[in-house]
Amino acid sequence: MKILVLISNVPDTTTKIRFVDNNKAFDTSGVQWIINPWDELALTRAVELKEAGGVETITVANVGESITEPTLRKALAVGADDAIRIDTTPKDAFYVASQLAQIAKDFDVIMVGIEASDYNGSAVGGMLAELLNFNSVSAVSGMNIENGQLSLTREIDGGQQKISVKTPVVTIVQKGIAIDPRIPAMRGIMMARKKPLTVLPAVEAGEKTSYVNFELPPPKAACKMVDEDNVKELVRLLQEEAKAF
Amino acid sequence: MSILVYTENWDGKFKKLSFELVSYAKALANELSTTVTVLSIGKVADEELKKLGNYGASKILNVADARFDSLDNKALALAVANAAKSEGSKAVVFAHNNLGKAIAPRVSVKLKGGMVTGVTALPENVDPFVVKKKVFTGKAFANIQIHADIKILTLAQNSFELIETDNKAVIESFDAGVSDDVFSTTVNETNKVTGKVLLTDAEIVVSGGRGFKGPENWGILEELADVLGAGMACSRPVSDEGWRGHEEHVGQTGKIIAPNLYFAFGISGAIQHLGGVNSSKIIVAVNKDAEAPIFEAADYGIVGDLFKVIPQLTEEIKTIKS
Ligand SMILES: Cc1cc2nc3c(=O)[nH]c(=O)nc-3n(C[C@H](O)[C@H](O)[C@H](O)COP(=O)(O)OP(=O)(O)OC[C@H]3O[C@@H](n4cnc5c(N)ncnc54)[C@H](O)[C@@H]3O)c2cc1C
Ligand SMILES: Nc1ncnc2c1ncn2[C@@H]1O[C@H](COP(=O)(O)O)[C@@H](O)[C@H]1O
């Protein structure tokens, strides 16, 4: 089985969000870039499955400019065998999925995060599956390979389902797919330097959406403090002022 | 042309979020001078389907076909796209929940539409079509223009009020035109928690963090949840430590929720935690550290010991409820 893990390069989750150019663009100055948390968990699970023997190769791929290469190198250090970067600015989900469709068609399982923590699209995985005419399974929180068959756990409202699905398939993964992200070891970092990172040119693809501008949320009113010994007053405020129950 | 809404059902019933979707679509339809058609897939009684009419649906396409119970994404997307084509829909609206997020992107590709997920309001403008959503996990908003002719939207939960109308819906059975060979998902086992308030449905959520000190101290929170009819949640370290189940983890990497009222007890308010709860209408924080960042996000706060505050809160709410 050959696995492709998609890697989105996103600002560290503690980044202070600011905009430039008349609020038309995200201010990337001083930003620390990381592997999108769900992609990191997806990759961790892929590596665990490979160690257990069910996986031939793990490829990671990103659509982005050269600044994303340290993130791809980190993915190689965690345990991917090779990396592909499609050299272009990711414009919107459809544009990104169209780029990825060029390479994804050769894999049995494609692991995609449930959303990228920057623009929160939750779109690339489903679009890619449709472009390839593959099936997709969303909200995947568990993955196993038994006798060459893929078995998945997915989250449904108020519970979980164990399902089997034919490959090739796009799995859109979330929390639970792996417990803790794997941290690259020194040996992994050394080996990653020698692993192949292929750069491919972008293909023509239209974009269907564009950002007009960004806004920061309006400043919040100060928190109303109530004394520890006056819980009654808190309940009164919630009931009468906030009309919360 | 009409606007198409796809809503799932839960054991044959709709939820508030289904009615939110229809209300939203109706308001959008008014702006575009058209009507709302709802696609319902699975077995739902006519009485239940008619409820969608109360929020503005003119027509309901009913696909009472059990093959879709496996939630095969490819098959569902094909069914929705076929309905949109047969209606000539210029917009298709989904819920921004697990199933909506799974299907909408596929439908957008099939219809060559432009998609915005997690929209929080009606479009500011319909020509050009510009709509708002949260980005950076709630830390900012973006206004996004859709260039394609067909608009695909997923609506963030609890972001649109229900609007009742005196509309009546016509129910038509619809052949989704999906052949057996499209389906390739087999469900082997389903496990559902019963009897608990579902976190994603809950109007009130009570949540605990590391301030609870250990797995043995949650009885007081369960009791409060009981009295309030609230859902229960926790911070990530709490579920990582196994003090509470993973289904309760909220935050950027857990569930993203938007209840009317969110109580954070013994939670410091890390940015990743807030990412999952900052859409709550009212946030109440109880923390013994007056400097905890949770107070910057909260509307009401008590600097104090959760072990003292929670039992008093439970008693007080019992009193007002009786
Ligand atoms: C990539 C990434 C993703 C993450 N995703 C999430 C996520 O989805 N959700 C999430 O929650 N976290 C997430 N985190 C972790 C997050 O950064 C914090 O570590 C976590 O939220 C802290 O949990 P806590 O508030 O329960 O614990 P702490 O930060 O330890 O806070 C405990 C609080 O309890 C208070 N306290 C202690 N005793 C009492 C008492 N008796 N009465 C009242 N108050 C008391 C303390 O003053 C303190 O403020 C993520 C981190 C990373 C790096
Ligand atoms: N530029 C990109 N390159 C590679 N994969 C991506 C890119 N953008 C998004 N993805 C993948 O798609 C998932 C969902 O992203 P999104 O649809 O943008 O929220 C991410 O978790 C990644 O797995």
Side-chain angles (χ1 to χ4, degrees):
Chain A
M1 205 165 280
K2 289 168 75 178
I3 298 187
L4 174 68
V5 182
L6 301 187
I7 302 289
S8 178
N9 178 58
V10 297
D12 176 89
T13 49
T14 56
T15 305
K16 181 125 180 69
I17 303 303
R18 292 192 208 87
F19 299 99
V20 289
D21 188 16
N22 254 332
N23 285 331
K24 282 189 169 38
F26 171 58
D27 182 0
T28 56
S29 61
V31 168
Q32 291 261 20
W33 299 96
I34 59 166
I35 304 179
N36 186 38
W38 292 276
D39 301 345
E40 196 177 22
L41 291 175
L43 176 61
T44 300
R45 186 62 192 152
V47 172
E48 289 167 0
L49 290 171
K50 190 175 175 215
E51 285 167 353
V55 176
E56 279 163 65
T57 56
I58 302 169
T59 301
V60 287
N62 169 263
V63 178
E65 291 165 23
S66 57
I67 60 151
T68 72
E69 285 196 5
T71 298
L72 281 175
R73 284 279 171 215
K74 185 178 169 205
L76 290 170
V78 170
D81 298 294
D82 66 319
I84 299 172
R85 179 171 69 80
I86 301 176
D87 186 28
T88 179
T89 314
K91 297 192 181 76
D92 72 354
F94 180 75
Y95 180 84
V96 169
S98 304
Q99 303 304 324
L100 291 163
Q102 311 307 313
I103 56 165
K105 57 183 192 306
D106 303 323
F107 293 85
D108 304 295
V109 178
I110 300 158
M111 299 178 82
V112 190
I114 190 117
E115 72 171 30
S117 64
D118 48 6
Y119 299 104
N120 309 136
S122 297
V124 168
M127 286 183 175
L128 176 63
E130 191 60 45
L131 287 168
L132 296 169
N133 199 26
F134 285 5
N135 207 346
S136 51
V137 182
S138 193
V140 172
S141 59
M143 181 185 288
N144 276 297
I145 298 172
E146 286 146 18
N147 309 322
Q149 299 287 316
L150 194 64
S151 70
L152 302 173
T153 305
R154 80 171 160 210
E155 300 294 307
I156 53 168
D157 273 344
Q160 291 185 328
Q161 285 183 327
K162 291 212 161 32
I163 62 172
S164 32
V165 63
K166 292 185 194 122
T167 53
V169 66
V170 173
T171 60
I172 301 169
V173 309
Q174 63 159 56
K175 176 188 160 64
I177 187 72
I179 303 306
D180 282 315
R182 195 169 285 206
I183 311 296
M186 202 54 209
R187 196 177 123 76
I189 296 170
M190 300 297 287
M191 277 166 53
R193 294 195 189 140
K194 292 193 216 96
K195 290 180 178 171
L197 192 164
T198 312
V199 179
L200 298 177
V203 294
E204 272 301 314
E207 56 196 287
K208 309 235 180 234
T209 58
S210 60
Y211 288 94
V212 178
N213 58 16
F214 296 92
E215 295 165 19
L216 291 173
K220 243 188 59 57
C223 181
K224 221 175 228 183
M225 301 307 290
V226 177
D227 197 82
E228 181 184 17
D229 301 315
N230 202 357
V231 174
K232 207 183 171 84
E233 172 64 4
L234 175 67
V235 174
R236 190 193 67 79
L237 286 168
L238 290 177
Q239 202 178 14
E240 291 173 15
E241 188 179 85
K243 310 219 182 311
F245 48 76
Chain B
M1 61 173 245
S2 90
I3 290 178
L4 185 71
V5 173
Y6 167 66
T7 175
E8 65 202 284
N9 66 80
W10 292 262
D11 300 319
K13 295 275 180 269
F14 295 118
K15 284 187 184 174
K16 182 169 161 246
L17 92 91
S18 318
F19 305 131
E20 279 170 15
L21 286 177
V22 180
S23 299
Y24 179 88
K26 177 63 182 165
L28 182 59
N30 290 345
E31 287 191 31
L32 298 171
S33 317
T34 181
T35 56
V36 175
T37 301
V38 180
L39 174 68
S40 169
I41 300 178
K43 213 167 167 341
V44 184
D46 279 4
E47 275 316 298
E48 188 70 14
L49 289 172
K50 278 187 192 143
K51 289 184 188 165
L52 300 169
N54 302 342
Y55 298 91
S58 305
K59 195 200 291 185
I60 290 152
L61 301 177
N62 186 22
V63 182
D65 181 342
R67 290 179 305 164
F68 291 98
D69 292 352
S70 69
L71 305 181
D72 187 277
N73 287 359
K74 197 175 167 186
L76 279 168
L78 181 57
V80 178
N82 285 345
K85 282 181 190 156
S86 113
E87 286 291 300
S89 303
K90 285 280 177 268
V92 188
V93 182
F94 297 82
H96 193 61
N97 64 357
N98 279 348
L99 198 59
K101 286 186 234 181
I103 310 301
R106 299 196 69 125
V107 172
S108 77
V109 171
K110 275 193 192 296
L111 299 177
K112 300 191 166 39
M115 178 171 79
V116 179
T117 54
V119 302
T120 53
L122 283 172
E124 185 175 302
N125 239 320
V126 290
D127 189 18
F129 196 96
V130 176
V131 67
K132 192 186 287 286
K133 72 167 289 185
K134 285 190 178 168
V135 290
F136 295 100
T137 322
K139 288 189 258 180
F141 290 94
N143 291 304
I144 302 178
Q145 181 176 345
I146 301 183
H147 302 285
D149 223 21
I150 296 181
K151 279 77 181 168
I152 312 288
L153 305 174
T154 70
L155 177 66
Q157 212 168 326
N158 277 339
S159 52
F160 201 76
E161 297 291 322
L162 300 185
I163 306 170
E164 292 209 48
T165 65
D166 48 13
N167 204 69
K168 292 270 175 296
V170 195
I171 301 169
E172 287 177 11
S173 76
F174 180 71
D175 176 1
V178 183
S179 58
D180 283 348
D181 57 297
V182 179
F183 294 83
S184 70
T185 305
T186 314
V187 177
N188 303 316
E189 197 183 311
T190 300
N191 296 306
K192 278 197 191 182
V193 222
T194 46
K196 277 213 228 168
V197 178
L198 278 188
L199 193 49
T200 41
D201 291 347
E203 298 277 340
I204 303 178
V205 172
V206 298
S207 184
R210 222 154 32 186
F212 273 80
K213 305 280 188 292
E216 64 286 358
N217 295 328
W218 294 75
I220 50 170
L221 196 65
E222 281 169 357
E223 210 181 317
L224 176 62
D226 230 31
V227 172
L228 284 168
M232 290 187 68
C234 67
S235 67
R236 176 159 126 176
V238 167
S239 73
D240 281 354
E241 297 285 336
W243 298 356
R244 300 294 296 176
H246 282 285
E247 69 286 353
E248 291 187 4
H249 163 198
V250 291
Q252 185 174 352
T253 47
K255 287 203 171 76
I256 296 188
I257 56 171
N260 277 328
L261 180 57
Y262 180 76
F263 285 93
F265 297 104
I267 292 175
S268 59
I271 192 100
Q272 298 93 350
H273 183 82
L274 296 176
V277 304
N278 57 15
S279 295
S280 309
K281 290 223 170 74
I282 305 282
I283 296 179
V284 180
V286 177
N287 196 304
K288 67 178 184 191
D289 173 8
E291 302 297 316
I294 189 75
F295 290 117
E296 282 158 41
D299 302 283
Y300 298 96
I302 290 183
V303 177
D305 182 352
L306 70 92
F307 294 106
K308 284 200 209 131
V309 173
I310 295 176
Q312 289 182 49
L313 203 53
T314 307
E315 281 316 307
E316 194 52 41
I317 288 163
K318 268 190 197 156
T319 323
I320 64 161
K321 293 230 162 166
S322 62

